[in-house]
């Protein structure tokens, strides 16, 4: 989202005071309501206020998206809780500790060493003064004293090994779905059940308010059909803008003697002498240009072609080359021209530009669009006036602007079949009292760029309940599906119980597939849990679970594939991850305890919390 934050995560985390503290919030707060009481702060920890400015500063002085506000605010609250507690305990941090901590941040280093310039640049990118940053680092270190023991726990080898075995185990599983469709023929629905459902769900069968319209469309596109451009105007425009329209191009060849920008005087002099010698030879015999270019030019891209660079427009080449080439006439050879690439000798082989015939269609189109745009603005005002002045009919406007009055299908407040009418602002106008009840024209509404529509209601229907006879078949289908689903779940549960008791397995299982406890899977997380709850020492083993709204899934566990053996590196990484995980839980408990001691007042209220 923010490139600076993404590229400099460590530095940004230090600014937040999160590197050593481990305070990143992943879950818990899902949103915030508007700020209360017009206060200028979002939360207050003790006597310290956390403001919107600090919230933005926490992610590099960017605007904080709504979805990030809860997370960042809670991070800042937790950080301030630790700072309050560190202050109460008089935990002091020396200047040397601050300097060493800043010097150790990789983002401030070049070739493994602290770079004062990079330090300044990164802070400047976040609009932060060095003293402010140093204070934040000092606060970070002071707070870290409080949490030193939480993230350094050592996990026993047995626990680590057990966790590795659980996470790494895979199981070969066959699956069978018992679907409601297989039971539809077995279920019936009575008239009493249909009536009961209809009465209990009356709102489901209520048709929305509807209207049918007549409307006129006044568009820039249609207006353009009646507007033409005078050929004399096209010619006049071309003559006034010939330089930009004709786009003069030059076809040139060159001979290049390369020369580095930092070349020493002796190298520069040698290159200059060589170029001047070639220039003298060309003046004596211009016809040998291509021959000499093949032999002497050091431009790998053009030398083999006799120095030919083809056609190019003004500004396509480096400035010294460009200026020289566009001063020459056809057939002329330049003097020695110096550019960043070296020394050039240039010959212009041809000059061309677009003719009036080449650009005439584009000029006509441009001038026509300008006339249409001006005419549309003027005519749109008159169209609107006529629609308003003769509000009881669209015919006067249609006749005045040679438009046809069209009729729509039924539309509602939320949608219309016709694309032009499927515009929220137009629908709002149509269902307003003035248009719906008084039968007046709607105002001319822009439904698309350069397209105005005015509509009036010719027929309307209020919201009304559909009769039972109309919706009967839909209710029957729904109730049958519900009953069939219930039977499918009952059948699945019954078969699972029989299989677990050792009953004969004659089911048509699908081909087995490998499944792990974590990661992507073809089945839902809850079903994976059921699969791995089966014993790992007796196969086949059976599991099952209801799939909400779809039926029942049976699983036949055929084999357990143990986790691969861990090497020392994997064991250490897993142990570290577990220690960090348990440390985070302990940190959360500690911070919750601090909240009971230090008052936290949220002015930006949490909407939901887990």
């Amino acid at each position: 989202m923010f490139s600076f934050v993404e590229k400099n995560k460590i530095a940004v985390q230090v600014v937040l005071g999160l590197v050593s503290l481990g305070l990143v919030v992943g879950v818990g707060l899902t949103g915030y309501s508007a700020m209360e009481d017009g206060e200028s702060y979002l939360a207050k920890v003790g006597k310290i206020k956390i403001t919107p400015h600090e919230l933005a500063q926490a992610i590099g002085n960017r605007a904080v998206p709504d979805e990030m506000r809860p997370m960042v605010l809670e991070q800042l609250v937790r950080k301030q809780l630790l700072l309050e507690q560190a202050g109460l305990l008089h935990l002091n941090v020396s200047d040397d500790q601050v300097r060493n901590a800043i010097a150790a941040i990789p983002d401030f280093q070049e070739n493994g060493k602290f770079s004062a310039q990079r330090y300044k640049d990164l802070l400047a990118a976040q609009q932060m003064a060095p003293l402010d940053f140093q204070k934040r680092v000092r606060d970070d270190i002071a707070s870290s004293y409080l949490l030193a023991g939480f993230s350094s726990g050592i996990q026993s080898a047995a626990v680590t090994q057990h966790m590795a075995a659980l996470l790494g185990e895979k199981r070969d599983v066959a699956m069978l779905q018992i679907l409601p469709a297989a039971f539809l023929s077995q279920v019936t629905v009575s008239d009493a059940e249909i009536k009961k459902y209809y009465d209990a769900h009356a709102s489901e069968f209520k048709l929305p308010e509807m209207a049918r319209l007549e409307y006129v469309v006044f568009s820039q596109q249609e207006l353009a059909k009646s507007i033409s451009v005078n050929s004399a105007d096209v010619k006049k425009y071309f003559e006034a803008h010939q330089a930009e329209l004709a786009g003069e191009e030059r076809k040139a060849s060159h001979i290049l003697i390369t020369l580095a920008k930092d070349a020493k005087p002796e190298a520069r002099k040698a290159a200059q002498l060589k170029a001047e010698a070639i220039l003298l030879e060309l003046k004596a015999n211009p016809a040998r240009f291509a021959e000499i270019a093949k032999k002497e030019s050091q431009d790998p891209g053009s030398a083999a072609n006799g120095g030919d660079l083809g056609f190019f427009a003004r500004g396509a080449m480096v400035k010294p080359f460009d200026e020289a080439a566009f001063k020459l006439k056809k057939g002329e050879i330049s003097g020695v021209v110096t550019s960043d690439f070296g020394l050039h000798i240039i010959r212009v082989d041809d000059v061309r530009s677009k003719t009036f015939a080449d650009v005439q269609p584009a000029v006509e189109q441009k001038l026509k669009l300008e006339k249409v745009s001006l005419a549309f603005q003027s005519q749109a005002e008159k169209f609107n006036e006529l629609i308003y002045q003769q509000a009881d009919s669209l015919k006067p406007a249609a006749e005045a602007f040679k438009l046809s009055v069209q009729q729509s299908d039924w539309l509602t407040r939320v949608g219309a079949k016709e694309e032009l009418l499927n515009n929220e602002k137009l629908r709002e106008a149509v269902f307003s009292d003035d248009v719906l009840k008084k039968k007046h024209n709607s105002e001319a509404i822009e439904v698309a760029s350069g397209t105005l529509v005015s509509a009036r209601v010719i027929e309307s229907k209020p919201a009304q309940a559909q009769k039972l006879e109309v919706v009967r078949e839909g209710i029957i289908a729904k109730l049958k599906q519900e009953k069939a689903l219930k039977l499918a779940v009952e059948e699945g549960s019954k078969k699972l119980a029989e299989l677990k008791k050792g009953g004969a397995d004659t089911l048509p299982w699908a081909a087995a597939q490998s499944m792990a406890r974590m990661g992507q899977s073809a089945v839902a997380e809850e079903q994976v849990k059921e699969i791995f709850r089966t014993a790992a020492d007796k196969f086949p083993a059976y599991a099952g679970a209801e799939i909400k709204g779809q039926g029942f899934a049976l699983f036949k566990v055929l084999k357990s594939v143990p986790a691969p053996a861990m090497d020392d590196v994997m064991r250490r990484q897993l142990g570290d991850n577990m220690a960090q995980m348990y440390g985070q839980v302990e940190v959360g408990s500690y911070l919750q305890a601090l909240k009971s001691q230090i008052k936290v007042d949220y002015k930006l209220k949490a909407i939901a919390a887990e």
Side-chain angles (χ1 to χ4, degrees), residues 483-496:
K483 288 187 175 185
L485 176 61
K486 184 178 179 182
L487 289 178
V489 172
E490 289 174 353
E491 179 69 9
S493 301
K494 178 183 174 184
K495 288 187 180 297
L496 178 60

Side-chain angles (χ1 to χ4, degrees), residues 180-181 183-190 193-194 197 472-488:
F183 299 89
L184 283 172
S185 61
Q186 302 176 26
V187 298
T188 58
V189 179
S190 69
E193 288 175 314
I194 296 170
Y197 186 91
R472 179 184 175 85
E473 291 304 316
I475 295 175
I476 291 173
K478 183 177 180 63
L479 294 179
K480 278 190 172 184
Q481 181 68 19
E482 289 177 356
K483 288 187 175 185
L485 176 61
K486 184 178 179 182
L487 289 178

Side-chain angles (χ1 to χ4, degrees), residues 429-440:
V430 165
F431 286 95
S432 68
D433 286 349
D434 189 54
V435 179
L436 184 67
K437 295 179 179 180
K438 296 180 181 178
K439 305 298 182 184
H440 289 161

